[in-house]
Amino acid sequence: MKPIYCSALSLALVCVGCGPILTKPQVTAVSEFGTAAKNYSALPGSVLRAYEEVHSADTLFTASTAEGKDAVMSLAVVKRSLATSDELGRKAAQLDKAVSLLTTYSEALTQLVSDDQLKALDSDADDLGKALDGSIAEYNKLPHATQTINPFGAATAAAVRGLGGIGIRVKQAKYLQRFVEEADPMVQKLAKDLAALMQELGSEGTGCVCFSAEKVKLEANFISYFSLRPGFMNHGDVEAFASWMAKAEAGKKLATMVDASTTRLGKAHTALVAAVKPDGSLKGRLEELRSLSEQIKAAQTLQKKLESN
């Protein structure tokens, strides 16, 4: 979609009393946050999936170090591992569902700075508002949603649609400003919920400890595994242990990055609210948005590396 912004000349030509239209830096700020938010959405669940893989591999190595007489105990370990994998899979799906609200919002932002369908701006804003309200309703059903997020999309669209005597591009700016301002409590609440949920499930603090603990267990299993197998150590087995230890370390780093991005999410949106205001200065605010974007890109790079191994 092609973004719309005003040049200095077009801004000067806006009628007195009509209000300003979007400037290029404002569109950049919106695009920066929208892209970062959309990219972030895949990361929280990937942390749990990475941990599940490491934990599962570690448990199987533990089971393989049991001697014949401990076969019953070894089987119990495997069963517990399978149960843990199922639970982590459910929790990852829960995180995916939670961040889908952020995806819906980021898509709305992209649409609101596009000039592809300006003639249908009112109906598009209505559709975006309803879609956002639907995502909010679904989010409020999740068990970790401790406080209800009030829907605002349809009401915001209706309020701006009712304004008379203004040009379509001025109305576009007003839609965007109202949507971003009304969305701020939602984004702040979502960031807080996600931070709490990730800490509970396994992330910074608990999760990094979890990945670290798995790495320590892998090292202990390495010693036990090869102590029970006299003679030269099989290259393939050594390589497998090394691969999983590297994955545990990468998982720990990814968890730390995602936690930092979750914390920065709310601050970046606060900067966006100020940036899109008609009289808002962008000084320092684009830096906040770009910091979030760069942090998420770094996490994405690590995520892809984890998934490719």
Side-chain angles (χ1 to χ4, degrees):
M1 295 178 181
K2 182 181 176 184
I4 179 69
Y5 53 84
C6 67
S7 64
L9 176 61
S10 62
L11 182 60
L13 293 175
V14 175
C15 296
V16 176
C18 288
I21 63 178
L22 296 177
T23 65
K24 185 175 180 178
Q26 285 176 320
V27 172
T28 299
V30 173
S31 300
E32 196 84 47
F33 182 87
T35 300
K38 189 172 184 179
N39 291 340
Y40 167 87
S41 299
L43 295 174
S46 70
V47 173
L48 284 191
R49 292 184 179 94
Y51 177 70
E52 183 278 323
E53 290 179 5
V54 173
H55 176 78
S56 179
D58 200 4
T59 304
L60 292 177
F61 282 130
T62 299
S64 68
T65 61
E67 297 184 46
K69 64 180 180 180
D70 296 323
V72 174
M73 181 193 74
S74 186
L75 178 60
V77 169
V78 171
K79 286 182 176 180
R80 284 199 302 273
S81 174
L82 292 173
T84 299
S85 292
D86 287 343
E87 179 62 17
L88 287 171
R90 285 193 293 271
K91 296 295 187 182
Q94 184 180 339
L95 272 172
D96 290 341
K97 192 170 183 179
V99 296
S100 67
L101 173 55
L102 196 59
T103 303
T104 303
Y105 177 54
S106 68
E107 290 170 350
L109 290 180
T110 300
Q111 182 68 23
L112 286 171
V113 293
S114 166
D115 67 346
D116 288 352
Q117 295 175 296
L118 274 179
K119 291 181 180 178
L121 181 61
D122 285 339
S123 60
D124 285 347
D126 280 341
D127 291 342
L128 293 171
K130 290 172 184 175
L132 196 53
D133 288 348
S135 290
I136 290 172
E138 290 301 310
Y139 182 84
N140 286 335
K141 296 176 185 177
L142 296 176
H144 68 272
T146 53
Q147 292 182 340
T148 300
I149 295 176
N150 295 321
F152 63 88
T156 297
V160 179
R161 188 177 64 247
L163 295 174
I166 60 175
I168 190 67
R169 293 185 179 182
V170 175
K171 182 175 279 192
Q172 182 191 37
K174 289 186 179 295
Y175 268 128
L176 180 67
Q177 290 153 8
R178 286 288 293 269
F179 264 106
V180 169
E181 187 174 347
E182 295 292 336
D184 194 53
M186 174 194 76
V187 175
Q188 303 302 333
K189 174 68 171 54
L190 180 59
K192 184 177 179 181
D193 282 353
L194 285 171
L197 184 60
M198 289 191 68
Q199 185 171 12
E200 175 190 341
L201 300 179
S203 191
E204 176 97 54
T206 56
C208 288
V209 169
C210 286
F211 276 111
S212 296
E214 293 299 337
K215 190 175 179 183
V216 169
K217 285 195 288 183
L218 279 166
E219 292 172 357
N221 281 330
F222 181 94
I223 295 171
S224 298
Y225 184 86
F226 289 108
S227 294
L228 293 170
R229 292 162 177 78
F232 290 106
M233 294 189 293
N234 181 278
H235 177 270
D237 289 343
V238 174
E239 189 175 45
F241 271 104
S243 175
W244 284 110
M245 283 191 280
K247 198 158 191 172
E249 182 62 28
K252 176 181 176 180
K253 290 179 181 178
L254 178 61
T256 302
M257 288 179 178
V258 174
D259 273 345
S261 297
T262 304
T263 300
R264 183 163 276 165
L265 196 62
K267 295 178 181 177
H269 196 268
T270 298
L272 180 63
V273 172
V276 299
K277 287 182 177 179
D279 57 348
S281 168
L282 273 75
K283 185 177 180 180
R285 288 161 185 154
L286 282 178
E287 286 76 5
E288 183 71 51
L289 293 163
R290 284 170 183 157
S291 294
L292 173 67
S293 182
E294 288 168 7
Q295 197 164 50
I296 289 172
K297 285 177 183 176
Q300 279 187 301
T301 300
L302 189 54
Q303 176 199 15
K304 290 175 182 176
K305 183 179 178 182
L306 272 166
E307 291 175 349
S308 65
N309 289 339

